Amino acid sequence: MAKLSVKKGDNVMVISGKDKGKVGKVLKVDGDANRIYVEGINIISKSKKPRNAQDKGGIIKQEGTIHVSNVLHVCPECGDVVRVKHELRDVNGKQKSVRVCPKCGASLEEKKPSAKKAAKKAAKKKSEKSEKKED
Ligand SMILES: [Zn+2]
């Protein structure tokens, strides 16, 4: 199987089609078809039939797939839109092929906690603190 340069969680920019210029996070990768799902990109509407009282049906919107060749990476370090290159690097004492930004050289393999997650963590800490304050 060919190794895709796009992985789940990557930030990519669409370079062709109706969503050209939009940026989103990769939600899912279909490695066999070389297609990916990107958050907020290529939204398709599907009509859904109601099944019961809880499930009222209606129009649901969801991401459709786009081909990996239609996106470029957005580097988390320098913010540039780049075509990643593969480089052999020493990772924990082993030579590994990692995806790097050709502009700043940052590795795209190291995942940083998203801003959303960090905010959630901070909010949790805050609420724990206020609980302790109550006597
Ligand atoms: Zn970079």
Side-chain angles (χ1 to χ4, degrees):
M1 196 179 102
K3 222 173 157 189
L4 283 185
S5 62
V6 179
K7 284 183 186 170
K8 189 181 164 187
D10 286 351
N11 278 311
V12 294
M13 179 184 272
V14 182
I15 52 166
S16 72
K18 69 180 168 100
D19 289 317
K20 188 176 172 180
K22 283 189 187 170
V23 175
K25 198 181 261 284
V26 177
L27 300 172
K28 214 167 113 186
V29 174
D30 184 347
D32 294 325
N34 284 345
R35 300 186 77 84
I36 55 172
Y37 294 85
V38 184
E39 197 174 45
I41 304 296
N42 195 24
I43 298 294
I44 50 170
S45 300
K46 276 187 174 178
S47 55
K48 198 164 160 259
K49 286 194 181 105
R51 287 206 186 106
N52 51 48
Q54 277 81 43
D55 187 356
K56 290 193 168 63
I59 306 283
I60 52 163
K61 287 184 193 278
Q62 64 179 56
E63 281 87 1
T65 62
I66 57 171
H67 198 266
V68 287
S69 65
N70 290 335
V71 301
L72 287 177
H73 277 84
V74 178
C75 173
E77 282 299 322
C78 64
D80 258 324
V81 180
V82 295
R83 196 175 290 279
V84 292
K85 62 174 188 178
H86 294 261
E87 211 175 85
L88 274 178
R89 285 204 179 168
D90 193 59
V91 180
N92 299 326
K94 271 186 194 168
Q95 286 286 304
K96 259 180 113 178
S97 176
V98 296
R99 300 169 306 148
V100 299
C101 168
K103 292 253 173 82
C104 69
S107 165
L108 272 75
E109 307 298 343
E110 287 149 38
K111 292 278 179 289
K112 287 177 187 148
S114 70
K116 244 186 195 171
K117 240 181 183 170
K120 221 176 171 182
K121 219 175 166 184
K124 204 184 164 196
K125 244 185 188 169
K126 214 175 164 186
S127 70
E128 274 170 9
K129 246 186 195 168
S130 61
E131 263 170 45
K132 269 180 196 163
K133 258 186 203 165
E134 282 169 38
D135 214 341

